[in-house]
């Protein structure tokens, strides 16, 4: 089934329900949203010769047209290739070439230099007026028929450790993911407001489907990005706001809320994931926002759906198991099974860390034009995530790290995440990231990059005492590097590769202990 059927049906069932908002202003109801998708699908087909299966790239900031174009692309049976708007033109051009996209929609005013865009690909301005329905193509009165395993979305991974790969997600994958949301993440109804503060090319965009299915409202902030105070204002105005946020965004919301005495009014749910949320940060977020936080763990290859940790578990700070749960990523979502395996890909026992593998209806069909990576990652339907973690007896999954980030020091595994968790609890530490550095004696040694809280200072000696009073001494950082900020990619993930390179290249001012 074509996922665009959900919009077509919503347009018929609830034509007058409010659908699209720019800031607090409604710009379309569901009838209009569906009409625009259909008209744009006609334009794609008639004016640009787009055929089912063709790839159409979207390289622009969040906007309501993003949603219209998504559905137009699927309506016409084509495949959407959302590109993170913060990428450089050259990176975007690489993706367009890799995806062999026929068209690319960009923000008005953004122009690719001649020769920058590969092959036949043409650039079009996304934010143009949509003409009246012409109804020239009766075959597009409803979305083009698609099978569950037909390709819908080429999801380019954020590539924190190398070249981005195109994850092939089908209509069936997207539906399975969406149906897990009300079961495992949060219930949705027509009074809800999906707020797009994080890039639509990623998690925030993936959460549009269930909100279309339920006839809820979709709001793109005027800033077309993330500003904590803008989110609070929209939440107060529009109510019942749900949003996806990377942990760094949650952290900024917490700080801003504290500054202005905001208590979460109008926000229903903040679904966070995509990177580790440290227990110390989660504790603060719950203090400020109360029972509004929900965690998901997923990756492009099984979008937004490996596990989830529900609102009640996160909010109940007095539960005797709270620390364990808060440090975990919760339980498997309804449409996947999880196993943890050793280096030979054999299951390990409960509580033993190993690579996390996932199987189920959300798991990708492979990497676009990359057989070798597909063979390595997908075996018998199991997706090998490259994440290291362990399962408890109750099915609760805890992530320790990406396998390539584990530090092997003196023959022992040190999981950066656990070192980071301890340092993040220090009152003078704002952010921390731990990586391994080649070490003649130990193989690798532990290095912590630390950002101090505003106007505070912290030194290596204080951090070492803090650390050794809480965790095995062999895991303690051998070096601290103090910096004003951590390098992050445009999805807010810390770039460990860059930190490792910095260590190799700059030999930065380091306080060794
Ligand atoms: P991406 O495919 O860009 O969404 O990145 C997925 C990766 O982000 C996963 O493989 C994990 O390493 C990490 N990740 C996702 N969700 C979480 C989470 N809740 N906690 C910690 N790391 C996460």
């Amino acid at each position: 089934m074509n996922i665009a059927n959900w919009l077509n049906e919503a347009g018929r069932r609830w034509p007058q329900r409010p659908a699209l908002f720019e800031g607090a202003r409604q710009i379309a109801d569901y009838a209009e949203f569906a009409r625009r998708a259909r008209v744009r699908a006609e334009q794609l087909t008639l004016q640009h010769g787009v055929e089912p299966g063709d790839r159409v790239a979207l390289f622009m900031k969040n906007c309501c047209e993003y949603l219209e174009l998504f559905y137009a692309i699927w309506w016409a049976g084509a495949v959407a290739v959302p590109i993170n708007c913060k990428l450089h033109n050259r990176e975007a051009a690489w993706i367009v070439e890799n995806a062999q996209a026929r068209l690319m929609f960009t923000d008005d005013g953004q122009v690719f230099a001649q020769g920058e865009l590969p092959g036949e690909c043409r650039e079009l301005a996304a934010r143009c007026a949509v003409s009246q329905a012409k109804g020239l193509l009766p075959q597009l009165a409803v979305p083009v028929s698609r099978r569950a395993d037909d390709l819908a979305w080429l999801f380019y991974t954020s590539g924190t450790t190398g070249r981005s790969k195109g994850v092939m997600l089908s209509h069936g994958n997207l539906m399975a993911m969406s149906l897990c949301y009300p079961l495992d993440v949060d219930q949705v109804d027509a009074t809800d407001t999906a707020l797009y503060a994080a890039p639509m090319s990623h998690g925030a965009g993936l959460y549009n489907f269930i909100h279309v299915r339920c006839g809820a409202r979709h709001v793109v902030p005027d800033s077309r990005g993330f500003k904590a105070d803008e989110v609070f204002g929209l939440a107060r105005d529009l109510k019942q706001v749900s949003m996806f946020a990377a942990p760094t965004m949650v952290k900024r919301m917490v700080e801003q809320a504290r500054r202005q005495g905001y208590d979460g009014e109008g926000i229903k749910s903040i679904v966070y994931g995509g990177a580790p949320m440290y227990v110390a940060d989660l504790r603060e977020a719950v203090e400020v926002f109360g029972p509004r936080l929900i965690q998901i763990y997923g990756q492009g290859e099984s979008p937004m759906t490996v596990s989830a940790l529900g609102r009640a578990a996160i909010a109940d700070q007095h539960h005797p198991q709270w620390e364990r749960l808060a440090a975990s990523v919760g339980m498997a979502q309804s449409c996947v099974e999880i196993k943890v395996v050793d280096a030979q890909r054999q299951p390990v026992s409960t509580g033993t860390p190993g690579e996390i593998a996932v199987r189920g209806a959300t798991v990708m069909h492979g990497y676009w034009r990359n057989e070798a990576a597909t063979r390595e990652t997908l075996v018998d339907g199991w997706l090998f995530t490259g994440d290291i973690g362990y399962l408890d007896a109750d099915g609760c999954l805890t992530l320790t790290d990406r396998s390539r980030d584990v530090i092997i020091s003196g023959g022992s595994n040190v999981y950066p995440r656990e070192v980071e968790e301890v340092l993040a609890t220090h009152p003078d530490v704002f952010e921390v990231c731990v990586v391994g550095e080649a070490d003649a004696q130990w193989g690798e040694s532990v290095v912590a990059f630390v950002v101090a809280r505003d106007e505070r200072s912290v030194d290596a000696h204080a951090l070492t005492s803090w650390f050794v009073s809480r965790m095995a001494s062999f895991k303690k950082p051998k070096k601290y590097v103090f910096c004003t900020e951590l390098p992050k990619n445009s999805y807010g993930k810390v770039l460990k590769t860059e930190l490792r390179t910095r260590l190799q290249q700059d030999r930065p001012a380091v306080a060794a202990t």
Side-chain angles (χ1 to χ4, degrees):
M1 187 185 106
N2 189 331
I3 198 147
N5 287 3
W6 283 2
L7 177 61
N8 185 32
E9 282 162 20
R12 289 179 185 169
R13 284 159 80 178
W14 313 297
Q16 274 144 30
R17 270 199 198 162
L20 303 179
F21 288 71
E22 287 177 350
R25 297 172 312 284
Q26 181 182 331
I27 61 152
D29 56 22
Y30 266 93
E32 175 63 8
F33 182 10
R35 186 191 74 82
R36 289 186 188 190
R38 185 207 160 165
V39 173
R40 284 182 181 275
E42 282 202 341
Q43 288 167 346
L44 289 176
T45 308
L46 282 173
Q47 292 168 19
H48 304 291
V50 168
E51 292 182 9
D54 281 351
R55 273 80 53 212
V56 178
L58 301 169
F59 183 44
M60 56 212 204
K61 284 190 181 169
N62 289 359
C63 51
C64 289
E65 288 84 350
Y66 213 117
L67 292 171
E68 294 171 20
L69 286 167
F70 261 155
Y71 282 92
I73 292 166
W74 296 316
W75 200 293
V79 179
V81 186
I83 302 175
N84 183 344
C85 63
K86 293 182 188 153
L87 292 185
H88 189 276
N89 274 11
R90 285 184 51 197
E91 296 170 289
W94 183 87
I95 291 177
V96 165
E97 170 152 42
N98 186 264
Q100 299 163 315
R102 195 179 182 117
L103 286 176
M104 167 154 71
F105 285 95
T106 54
D107 274 321
D108 300 359
Q110 174 163 25
V111 186
F112 277 73
Q114 220 188 347
E116 224 177 354
L117 272 185
E120 299 295 297
C121 184
R122 283 202 290 139
E123 184 187 356
L124 296 177
R127 308 196 76 188
C128 58
V130 184
S131 59
Q132 283 306 308
K134 303 233 172 40
L136 294 176
L137 293 177
Q139 69 272 31
L140 287 184
V142 293
V144 165
S145 166
R146 297 273 82 188
R147 290 172 191 270
D149 56 5
D150 279 332
L151 195 56
W153 180 316
L154 268 187
F155 180 105
Y156 276 82
T157 57
S158 46
T160 45
T161 49
R163 198 111 240 195
S164 168
K165 296 191 281 287
V167 172
M168 296 195 281
L169 300 175
S170 65
H171 289 265
N173 289 146
L174 299 177
M175 272 175 212
M177 170 204 71
S178 304
L179 297 178
C180 280
Y181 188 93
L183 282 171
D184 303 305
V185 182
D186 199 14
Q187 297 204 338
V188 186
D189 66 39
T191 62
D192 283 320
T193 310
L195 180 82
Y196 299 90
M200 284 173 147
S201 53
H202 212 82
L206 286 160
Y207 277 162
N208 93 79
F209 303 109
I210 190 64
H211 291 93
V212 165
R213 182 67 190 150
C214 298
R217 301 179 293 179
H218 303 260
V219 178
V220 179
D222 284 320
S223 67
R224 304 180 64 194
F226 171 64
K227 283 193 178 151
D229 52 349
E230 186 183 29
V231 168
F232 302 161
L234 285 169
R236 282 198 179 108
D237 284 352
L238 295 169
K239 313 277 187 298
Q240 284 287 98
V241 160
S242 294
M243 61 187 285
F244 174 73
T248 49
M249 291 166 66
V250 178
K251 215 168 150 66
R252 275 163 59 194
M253 285 168 71
V254 167
E255 281 167 47
Q256 182 65 24
R258 281 207 197 283
R259 269 199 292 275
Q260 62 185 66
Y262 172 75
D263 64 358
E265 183 196 342
I267 294 184
K268 176 188 172 197
S269 309
I270 303 169
V271 181
Y272 67 88
M277 167 75 96
Y278 301 114
V279 175
D281 292 335
L282 184 59
R283 196 185 287 283
E284 262 197 281
V286 173
E287 272 165 30
V288 171
F289 293 124
R292 291 184 171 84
L293 293 135
I294 301 165
Q295 182 184 201
I296 61 100
Y297 157 55
Q299 55 176 203
E301 291 82 343
S302 178
M304 311 307 261
T305 26
V306 175
S307 63
L309 181 65
R311 178 194 307 277
I314 293 177
D316 186 5
Q317 297 213 16
H318 302 296
H319 191 283
Q321 298 281 320
W322 188 81
E323 291 257 348
R324 176 176 75 96
L325 291 171
S328 81
V329 290
M331 314 271 176
Q333 292 198 33
S334 302
C335 63
V336 293
E337 52 185 322
I338 298 177
K339 68 178 180 182
V340 176
V341 298
D342 61 19
Q344 285 70 45
R345 295 194 161 168
Q346 295 306 307
V348 297
S349 51
T350 304
T352 308
E355 184 174 2
I356 297 163
V358 187
R359 187 164 66 175
T362 50
V363 167
M364 66 163 180
H365 290 243
Y367 294 111
W368 177 254
R369 297 171 64 210
N370 195 338
E371 278 288 319
T374 303
R375 264 199 308 278
E376 203 178 295
T377 313
L378 269 186
V379 182
D380 292 336
W382 285 98
L383 164 71
F384 290 85
T385 61
D387 288 323
I388 302 289
Y390 58 88
L391 278 167
D392 285 340
D394 58 2
C396 184
L397 179 68
T398 302
L399 289 192
T400 46
D401 274 288
R402 300 283 304 162
S403 52
R404 56 180 81 87
D405 292 335
V406 174
I407 302 167
I408 304 178
S409 186
S412 304
N413 281 4
V414 179
Y415 296 108
R417 171 82 186 255
E418 55 178 0
V419 178
E420 289 160 359
E421 288 276 9
V422 170
L423 294 174
T425 58
H426 190 285
D428 297 334
V429 170
F430 177 64
E431 275 187 317
V432 58
C433 180
V434 165
V435 296
E437 181 182 31
D439 181 297
Q441 191 181 357
W442 301 103
E444 275 185 301
S445 65
V446 179
V447 179
F449 285 76
V450 175
V451 179
R453 267 187 202 280
D454 284 348
E455 288 156 27
R456 299 203 200 170
S457 65
V458 59
D459 62 44
H461 185 71
L463 290 176
T464 302
S465 331
W466 181 268
F467 189 89
V468 294
S469 63
R470 289 167 173 82
M471 189 163 269
S473 177
F474 79 90
K475 298 180 182 173
K476 73 172 187 282
K478 298 278 188 300
K479 273 182 194 170
Y480 288 95
V481 182
F482 296 98
C483 38
T484 49
E485 60 180 346
L486 297 174
K488 296 194 181 118
N489 74 9
S490 40
Y491 292 121
K493 290 182 205 255
V494 177
L495 291 166
K496 292 204 170 194
T497 322
E498 190 173 320
L499 293 178
R500 288 192 201 100
T501 314
R502 259 192 221 177
L503 280 177
Q504 280 165 4
Q505 289 175 348
D506 317 346
R507 298 268 149 212
V510 155
T513 54

